[in-house]
Amino acid sequence: MQAFARLFAELDATTSSKAKRAAMVAYFRSAPPEDAAWAVYFLAGGKPRQLVPTRVLRDVALRLSGLPEWLFDECYHAVGDLAETIAYLTGPPGDEAVRVASGAAGPPEQPGLARWLEDRLLPLRGQAPDVVVSELGAILPALDPTARFLCGKLITGALRVGVSRLLVTRALGEVAGVEPRVVAERLFGYTDLNARPDAARYLALVAPESASDGAEPRGIQPYPFFLAQSLSEPAPTLAERFGSPVDWLVEWKYDGIRAQVLRRGAEVAVWSRGEELVTDRFPELATMATRLPPGTVVDGEILVWRDGRVQPFALLQQRLGRKRLSAALLARLPLALVAYDLLEWQEEDWRGRPLARRRSVLEELVAAMQAGEADAGRCALQLSPLVTAADWTTLDTRRQESRALGVEGMMLKPAASRYGVGRTRDDNSWWKWKVDPYSVDAVLVYAQRGSGKRASLYSDYTFAVWDGDDAGTRRLVPFAKAYSGLSDAELAEVDRIVRRTTVEKFGPVSSVTPTLVFELGFEGIARSSRHKSGIAVRFPRMLRWRRDKPVAEADTLRTLTALLPAEPPGIDPPAAGQR
């Protein structure tokens, strides 16, 4: 446990990719396989479910701190993070710095990461509060501050480590002496909650490369997803960079859930890009998969598909939060996988073949699947249509229709490209060419301290627009929260203004005098009965600080309502034989 805590501290203390990679390599080379297995899980983004309710964890921390409740709450609000508060306030009697200064021995050596998790932390899930209080009362004081912080993050399921998955694969590749792409293949699905890390799985990750890599039976394991780069260049420059559109396959970019649907032997599975096995959540896709030929893997987008057209993501969200899928819900919000690639066919890995060839066979597969349906438009497997044009300027004109069609823009893929691993930036790359975000000018009305490095700053903001036309009676109505888009200097300046203009406090949230206007960008907008404004937006962020605009001139609820999309007219299905 202490070794992983030291690694966590090293990774947190630097922004150098080289230093982070070196720290991970050193850890993996010295850690027992069972501990390294769990370390890979966390570093690669795995998050076990919350082990202890936040209320119970707070009660443990309050008791161990010995502070009055009001003072503990003030500390918590100042820090902005429960795990960090626990690290500061639940140490052993006699501060750590005092112990070090006196030359006293440090905390006793802890068990390895695997034993510590499996014997001490994971068994806490589902235990009675008094048992949790007793167990954590023994565990936390025995840890140093970094390990206590780590422990709190693991208990709450909120651990984030500042390394990319690509950097983890490179570190493991260096340890194993194999190419990172091979590690990426082996690593996919490693963080699935249904498969606990163990020594055997870790040793398989770092085994020497052999001729059998990629050839052994994969069970229901998917392939690593190939991801696209963002493209922001204007159309006139694309001809020089990309050549003729004839050499590209251009598709609409959907706003759904990226997934692979596969059938191997009698087994079927649906995997999300987030490495979750989600077969049970999408029963219509699982049923469809049973009709796929054995040895087939299809890549595409899960969408609510009704009357031959894509529906807004907000409708898909209504299904995602449900534990029980009733027959009425399935009938009201039917799903389809809109397919755009064929990764495995007749039990062979097709990822190295040209996209144009994979597309051709995919078209035949979808046509055969739809031929068995009474209504092809209701088939749970649809084909992503291609968009064709003689030049990039014409394609750009078509791209401006995206929102009317219920999509986010276009995907650009070289016809000769193979299916890669992760993001690449070379001649094989795919590109997402999205339309500009929606934007409105909104007023900052509430602010809350951030977490982690932003714990001392008011960096999380609630924004509002005006409701009503009469200047004397109109009011500001909150509609979005955002915390990204400002520079460090701007954050510090806004923090000073928030502290100076605070009117009232609600726990960690401060109500402020409306003085600041920001341009907010967002990807989607929909009606919502859960918000006072009646509006919900997707992925809001601050595009710029409108220092030039007075609060009275911020946008209105009517402006937002006007952005609500009409019912998408639908996207024409691919023509027969379309490449």
Side-chain angles (χ1 to χ4, degrees), residues 181-182 185-186 209-218 223-224 264 344 347-351:
R181 62 171 181 79
V182 176
E185 290 266 353
R186 298 171 178 176
E209 189 172 359
S210 67
S212 65
D213 268 296
E216 66 275 5
R218 298 183 64 90
Y223 295 102
R264 293 196 179 105
E344 186 175 311
E347 301 181 349
E348 291 186 19
D349 182 350
W350 271 44
R351 292 174 299 160

Side-chain angles (χ1 to χ4, degrees), residues 272-293:
S272 74
R273 176 188 152 183
E275 300 193 22
E276 288 186 90
L277 185 60
V278 292
T279 315
D280 293 343
R281 298 188 205 173
F282 305 113
E284 54 266 80
L285 299 186
T287 300
M288 176 272 290
T290 63
R291 297 177 49 230
L292 292 171

Side-chain angles (χ1 to χ4, degrees), residues 254-427:
Y254 297 98
D255 185 13
I257 297 175
R258 179 88 179 271
Q260 290 179 30
V261 174
L262 60 87
R263 180 185 176 191
R264 293 196 179 105
E267 291 188 285
V268 300
V270 182
W271 285 86
S272 74
R273 176 188 152 183
E275 300 193 22
E276 288 186 90
L277 185 60
V278 292
T279 315
D280 293 343
R281 298 188 205 173
F282 305 113
E284 54 266 80
L285 299 186
T287 300
M288 176 272 290
T290 63
R291 297 177 49 230
L292 292 171
T296 301
V297 178
V298 179
D299 184 16
E301 202 86 9
I302 299 175
L303 303 164
V304 174
W305 189 267
R306 193 166 57 200
D307 301 325
R309 66 179 66 161
V310 59
Q311 301 297 313
F313 184 82
L315 294 182
L316 181 57
Q317 283 182 308
Q318 292 180 22
R319 284 195 46 161
L320 298 181
R322 301 294 182 91
K323 291 185 178 180
R324 190 179 70 85
L325 299 174
S326 66
L329 182 70
L330 294 175
R332 182 171 64 86
L333 301 173
L335 296 182
L337 181 80
V338 177
Y340 37 70
D341 215 329
L342 184 66
L343 311 187
E344 186 175 311
W345 180 241
Q346 296 177 341
E347 301 181 349
E348 291 186 19
D349 182 350
W350 271 44
R351 292 174 299 160
R353 305 192 185 206
L355 174 59
R357 173 61 177 152
R358 302 198 305 270
R359 168 81 190 197
S360 175
V361 177
L362 177 64
E363 290 174 4
E364 296 173 4
L365 170 64
V366 174
M369 293 284 286
Q370 293 184 353
E373 298 281 348
D375 182 352
R378 295 191 176 186
C379 180
L381 183 64
Q382 298 290 326
L383 183 65
S384 174
L386 298 178
V387 186
T388 58
D391 53 66
W392 295 107
T393 300
T394 305
L395 275 174
D396 192 21
T397 301
R398 293 288 309 278
R399 185 172 66 103
Q400 304 311 315
E401 306 170 6
S402 295
R403 287 208 172 93
L405 298 173
V407 295
E408 296 181 317
M410 289 178 170
M411 295 293 302
L412 312 179
K413 305 175 182 179
S417 62
R418 66 188 183 280
Y419 192 94
V421 174
R423 283 189 175 86
T424 63
R425 189 176 286 274
D426 51 31
D427 292 342

Side-chain angles (χ1 to χ4, degrees), residues 52 66 208 278 351 412 425 449 496 515 543:
V52 175
V278 292
R351 292 174 299 160
L412 312 179
R425 189 176 286 274
R449 290 187 181 97
R496 289 192 293 270
T515 60
L543 300 179

Side-chain angles (χ1 to χ4, degrees), residues 253-256 313 317 408 434 437-438 480-484 520-525 536-543:
K253 186 186 183 308
Y254 297 98
D255 185 13
F313 184 82
Q317 283 182 308
E408 296 181 317
K434 299 173 69 171
Y438 293 103
K481 294 182 178 181
Y483 54 86
S484 64
L520 292 192
F522 46 94
E523 298 302 317
I525 182 169
V537 298
R538 287 198 75 206
F539 303 132
R541 69 271 191 194
M542 290 166 279
L543 300 179

